[in-house]
Amino acid sequence: MEKLQLHFGQAVDLLIEEKKYHEALVKIDSAPKVITREPKYALRRGVIHLNLKKYDEALSELKTYLTENPKNPLVLREIGIAYANKNMMDQATDHFSRASIEEPMNGMNHAWLAWALESKKEFSRARDEWKKAVEFLRSLQPSALSPR
């Protein structure tokens, strides 16, 4: 069963990487619950819904995953992105800030936080976060900066 779950997860991840979001969601939804009941499938569904611009569904799934993994910086950032797209900047800022605390060396966390702070006209804090973002992103390989 473990091998089946591993291969199924890899197949879903490949569909997500190829931006075949509808196909990935159908694959997850049609799979036996014994495979998709793991929390990581809530994360996968959340990311898919976020990319499909279904922000309420994304938030629901990502928050489900967050209850099992409350300090996961990726999930915190993705929730922040969903809130930002719903123009709920206080919530977005809170989640970007939490992601930055959990993963302080990730420049993307600081960049998202800086952007959210700018949108709230908190320019001094935003400037500090932009500096951190640039510092950490500058050290990455060019391939690591590809768009999401």
Side-chain angles (χ1 to χ4, degrees):
M1 183 58 119
E2 283 182 36
K3 230 177 191 179
L4 176 62
Q5 288 175 323
L6 175 68
H7 290 297
F8 183 80
Q10 290 172 337
V12 170
D13 290 343
L14 182 61
L15 290 170
I16 293 170
E17 286 177 27
E18 293 174 347
K19 298 182 179 2
K20 297 178 179 178
Y21 304 118
H22 290 288
E23 195 174 330
L25 197 55
V26 167
K27 189 168 196 70
I28 291 171
D29 290 343
S30 64
K33 294 295 178 211
V34 69
I35 292 175
T36 60
R37 70 175 171 223
E38 293 182 33
K40 63 185 168 189
Y41 283 96
L43 172 59
R44 286 177 171 123
R45 284 189 297 269
V47 168
I48 291 167
H49 287 303
L50 187 60
N51 283 286
L52 292 173
K53 300 180 185 329
K54 295 180 177 181
Y55 304 117
D56 291 327
E57 291 91 337
L59 284 167
S60 176
E61 295 288 354
L62 293 168
K63 286 179 179 180
T64 296
Y65 184 82
L66 192 64
T67 61
E68 298 285 326
N69 303 278
K71 294 186 175 199
N72 185 301
L74 169 67
V75 177
L76 290 166
R77 186 175 60 238
E78 295 296 312
I79 289 172
I81 292 168
Y83 278 129
N85 278 288
K86 289 174 60 75
N87 204 28
M88 299 172 72
M89 299 314 290
D90 288 337
Q91 293 90 333
T93 302
D94 175 61
H95 283 82
F96 294 141
S97 180
R98 290 170 56 196
S100 295
I101 290 166
E102 294 303 327
E103 193 178 33
M105 304 284 287
N106 186 325
M108 292 306 294
N109 293 332
H110 294 287
W112 278 106
L113 178 55
W115 176 82
L117 290 167
E118 276 186 4
S119 72
K120 292 174 58 176
K121 301 194 183 326
E122 294 183 32
F123 299 116
S124 179
R125 282 184 60 206
R127 183 182 59 242
D128 293 342
E129 292 300 324
W130 279 123
K131 286 179 185 177
K132 291 176 190 175
V134 169
E135 174 187 341
F136 294 123
L137 291 172
R138 194 176 277 158
S139 66
L140 294 177
Q141 298 292 341
S143 63
L145 296 175
S146 62
R148 2 184 292 106

